[in-house]
């Protein structure tokens, strides 16, 4: 119930920033969250304190049959945030069985149930790794930047979710769309947001949107949770707190 894939086939829209912002809000609320880095670039892993080239057990090993608990590491952020790092082997699984992660989750239900949410940072594609994520989770959340290029392919992402629902995971839901890097004033952004509403429906778009703020890039570069900047990041902190509350309501079992 608490598993969420954060995705878009378009790179550069800020999936990792949103995933980490939600994790930061969870930690600030003393909620436990697990971030699974399914992107071979390993950005989430690095920001959460796992350096490239480490010999830690990774999500690639999990896809190869290793227990999820063996690959789960404490992050450098907080005792409330754990991470399953990407690792060097992950690219090898861009082909093959699309249900490997689902099988790993099935065998690790006790581990997953110990978290308030499990966030999967997906690669910027609709390949086999993203399919593995969608086949394993209950909720899919799309991250979109309100620009012409940011909206390209959004229909394809929704189609991919439908295909995985039909072929592998009848419990999968498109639970929402998060707008990221929204400028304070932009007629172009407003036009793209209207276009997005026509594609996915007004109710699917979560509020509030994530504003375009330099402090978010700084937090990633300094490998820190955005909440650690306190008043310097008051606007994005407030946004991620509200988005985390929305996520909690979405994934909380009835």
């Amino acid at each position: 119930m608490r598993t969420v894939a954060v995705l878009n086939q378009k790179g550069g829209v800020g999936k990792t920033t949103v995933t980490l912002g939600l994790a930061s809000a969870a930690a600030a609320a003393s909620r436990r969250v697990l971030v699974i880095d399914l992107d071979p670039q390993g950005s989430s892993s690095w920001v959460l304190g796992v350096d490239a080239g480490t010999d830690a057990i990774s999500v690639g090993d999990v896809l190869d049959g290793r227990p999820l608990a063996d690959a789960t590491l404490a992050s450098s952020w907080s005792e409330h945030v754990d991470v399953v790092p990407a690792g060097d082997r992950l690219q090898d699984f861009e082909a093959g069985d699309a249900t490997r992660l689902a099988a790993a989750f099935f065998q690790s239900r006790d581990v997953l149930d110990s978290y308030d949410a499990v966030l999967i940072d997906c690669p910027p594609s609709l390949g086999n790794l993203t399919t593995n994520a969608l086949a394993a989770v209950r909720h899919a959340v799309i991250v979109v930047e309100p620009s012409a290029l940011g909206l390209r392919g959004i229909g394809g992402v929704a189609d991919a979710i439908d295909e995985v629902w039909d072929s592998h995971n009848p419990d999968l839901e498109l639970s929402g769309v998060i707008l990221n890097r929204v400028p304070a004033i932009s007629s172009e952004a407003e036009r793209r947001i209207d276009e997005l509403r026509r594609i996915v429906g007004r109710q699917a778009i979560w509020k509030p949107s994530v504003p375009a703020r330099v402090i978010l890039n700084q937090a990633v570069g300094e490998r820190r949770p955005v909440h650690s900047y306190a008043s310097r990041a008051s606007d994005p902190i407030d946004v991620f707190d509200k988005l985390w509350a929305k996520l909690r309501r979405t994934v909380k079992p009835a």
Side-chain angles (χ1 to χ4, degrees):
M1 287 292 293
R2 303 184 186 100
T3 49
V4 183
V6 182
L7 74 156
N8 193 328
Q9 66 174 321
K10 174 74 173 62
V13 297
K15 289 183 283 68
T16 296
T17 300
V18 169
T19 301
L20 295 174
L22 291 169
S24 178
S30 298
R31 297 291 185 178
R32 296 193 71 219
V33 65
L34 175 63
V35 176
I36 299 178
D37 191 354
L38 211 60
D39 186 344
Q41 297 179 64
S43 298
S44 289
S45 305
W46 181 79
V47 177
L48 290 170
V50 182
D51 289 311
T54 181
D55 58 359
I57 299 169
S58 70
V59 70
D61 299 301
V62 173
L63 294 173
D64 209 18
R66 194 77 179 253
L68 184 68
D70 289 355
T72 301
L73 304 175
S75 75
S76 61
W77 279 15
S78 164
E79 63 181 358
H80 299 292
V81 182
D82 291 339
V83 57
V84 177
D88 296 333
R89 301 184 57 214
L90 191 50
Q91 191 65 51
D92 298 339
F93 295 94
E94 270 293 12
D97 188 353
T99 61
R100 288 176 179 266
L101 189 61
F105 277 13
F106 182 78
Q107 295 167 3
S108 304
R109 284 171 293 180
D110 56 336
V111 175
L112 300 177
D113 286 345
S114 68
Y115 294 97
D116 293 283
V118 177
L119 306 176
I120 304 179
D121 187 9
C122 294
S125 73
L126 297 178
N128 195 57
L129 288 172
T130 297
T131 301
N132 261 271
L134 293 174
V137 302
R138 179 65 182 270
H139 305 277
V141 173
I142 304 173
V143 176
V144 176
E145 183 178 358
S147 66
L149 294 179
L151 261 63
R152 288 195 67 187
I154 189 72
V157 179
D159 289 344
I161 292 170
D162 285 342
E163 289 172 9
V164 174
W165 174 86
D166 187 55
S167 59
H168 299 298
N169 184 3
D171 293 325
L172 177 65
E173 299 176 5
L174 173 53
S175 296
V177 176
I178 294 177
L179 279 159
N180 187 41
R181 295 180 185 151
V182 177
I185 301 174
S186 171
S187 58
E188 167 65 10
E190 287 300 323
R191 283 194 295 272
R192 298 306 172 185
I193 293 171
D194 286 341
E195 180 183 346
L196 181 64
R197 293 188 184 110
R198 291 193 294 271
I199 296 171
V200 301
R202 183 181 297 271
Q203 296 301 317
I205 302 174
W206 286 10
K207 294 180 180 179
S209 302
V210 181
R213 294 289 188 275
V214 173
I215 195 70
L216 292 171
N217 294 331
Q218 182 178 341
V220 169
E222 295 178 352
R223 305 169 79 174
R224 290 171 54 182
V226 67
H227 285 68
S228 69
Y229 292 90
S231 60
R232 292 177 58 197
S234 57
D235 287 350
I237 286 172
D238 180 62
V239 166
F240 279 117
D241 284 344
K242 290 175 180 175
L243 290 175
W244 167 250
K246 170 69 174 177
L247 182 70
R248 281 277 293 154
R249 292 192 299 270
T250 300
V251 305
K252 189 175 182 179

